[in-house]
Amino acid sequence: MYKILGKALAVGVLSTLASLMISFAFVPMMGGEVAGAGLVMTIVCPIAISIPASLVHFYLAEKVRSANAALAQAKDELADAYARLQYQAQRDALTGVFTRATFMAALDECSRAGSHGGLLFLDVDHFKSVNDRFGHAAGDEALIRIGALLSRLVAEDDLVGRLGGEEFAIFLHAASPERMLDRSQAIREAVEAIDLRTASGVRIALGISIGAFHCAPRFDPVEALAASDRNLYRAKSMGRNMVVA
């Protein structure tokens, strides 16, 4: 408020000076004299008009400025909230990797772009027994650890998603068949090496079966996932904790 008052007083002073300059410049030219009541009016009128008008003007201008600043802040906060919601909608709440819908949409985009690479379908071995023996909290922790591990082991442009339950999928962008198999084995070994323990210190052994399928450019995402799923079924039927392509 003091800032607004200061501006209004400054306008009053400038208005008064301008009024005096105009009066002393033009009144003598018209045969008059700036003195007495005329001088008083020359000084009082600008003050009486400019200061109240300036107070109203600067007050309203400050209100508009504050409203615009609040609106801009609200807009930024809304954009941040929307970005967070969009991110959360695309990510699995437990593991932080893509949801099934987001993964499939991204896989479809890769296909449309003419990309090729390795598609992995992963299933945590004997996961039901982990829940049954050690509790669902231990099962959730296993999924969290595996999701974090998969995210670390892939490249920035690769895709990682949780398809449901203990099932995950990975698309290794532009990977050759050889690299696809190498990465699959590295992932299997890394999951097997996870040191997950109960509160009493009992180690919970983890394993993962992987069905791998190499996707040619313009592949069909649904058919490719079905093919990797068939290879996953073979891996599980052959003894689990292995890679089949």
Side-chain angles (χ1 to χ4, degrees):
M1 188 62 190
Y2 289 112
K3 186 177 180 181
I4 294 174
L5 182 59
K7 288 182 179 180
L9 290 174
V11 171
V13 171
L14 292 174
S15 298
T16 302
L17 291 175
S19 178
L20 288 169
M21 290 175 62
I22 292 172
S23 296
F24 280 105
F26 290 100
V27 171
M29 293 173 58
M30 294 183 290
E33 182 180 358
V34 183
L39 179 60
V40 171
M41 293 300 293
T42 299
I43 296 172
V44 171
C45 286
I47 294 175
I49 295 172
S50 64
I51 291 180
S54 298
L55 282 172
V56 173
H57 170 76
F58 289 129
Y59 175 76
L60 293 177
E62 182 65 21
K63 293 281 285 184
V64 171
R65 188 197 67 77
S66 299
N68 287 337
L71 184 62
Q73 182 180 357
K75 183 180 178 181
D76 291 341
E77 290 174 353
L78 184 62
D80 291 341
Y82 176 77
R84 288 194 299 270
L85 287 173
Q86 190 176 41
Y87 178 86
Q88 291 170 1
Q90 293 176 340
R91 299 284 171 167
D92 175 62
L94 182 65
T95 62
V97 301
F98 283 146
T99 63
R100 183 187 185 98
T102 304
F103 179 85
M104 293 304 295
L107 191 63
D108 185 64
E109 289 181 8
C110 290
S111 172
R112 292 176 183 274
S115 301
H116 69 279
L119 181 60
L120 314 182
F121 201 144
L122 310 91
D123 186 89
V124 183
D125 295 329
H126 305 294
F127 185 71
K128 185 177 182 302
S129 67
V130 173
N131 282 330
D132 292 343
R133 292 179 59 196
F134 305 105
H136 288 279
D140 287 348
E141 181 62 24
L143 295 177
I144 291 170
R145 295 275 194 98
I146 291 172
L149 177 68
L150 298 181
S151 297
R152 289 198 305 270
L153 292 178
V154 300
E156 186 176 352
D157 57 349
D158 294 338
L159 307 175
V160 182
R162 183 184 178 193
L163 302 188
E166 67 273 22
E167 295 178 339
F168 294 85
I170 296 175
F171 181 70
L172 302 171
H173 187 267
S176 64
E178 293 77 16
R179 180 175 176 272
M180 176 186 74
L181 290 176
D182 288 344
R183 297 310 302 156
S184 297
Q185 289 292 353
I187 290 169
R188 186 194 64 77
E189 292 171 3
V191 170
E192 193 176 28
I194 291 176
D195 188 17
L196 178 63
R197 296 180 181 272
T198 65
S200 60
V202 177
R203 186 173 187 273
I204 302 174
L206 296 175
I208 197 163
S209 298
I210 303 175
F213 177 78
H214 190 263
C215 304
R218 306 292 179 181
F219 63 93
D220 184 301
V222 175
E223 291 183 0
L225 192 63
S228 61
D229 188 23
R230 288 192 293 270
N231 288 337
L232 171 62
Y233 178 80
R234 290 172 55 204
K236 297 183 84 68
S237 64
M238 292 168 61
R240 303 175 188 268
N241 196 27
M242 65 175 60
V243 178
V244 173

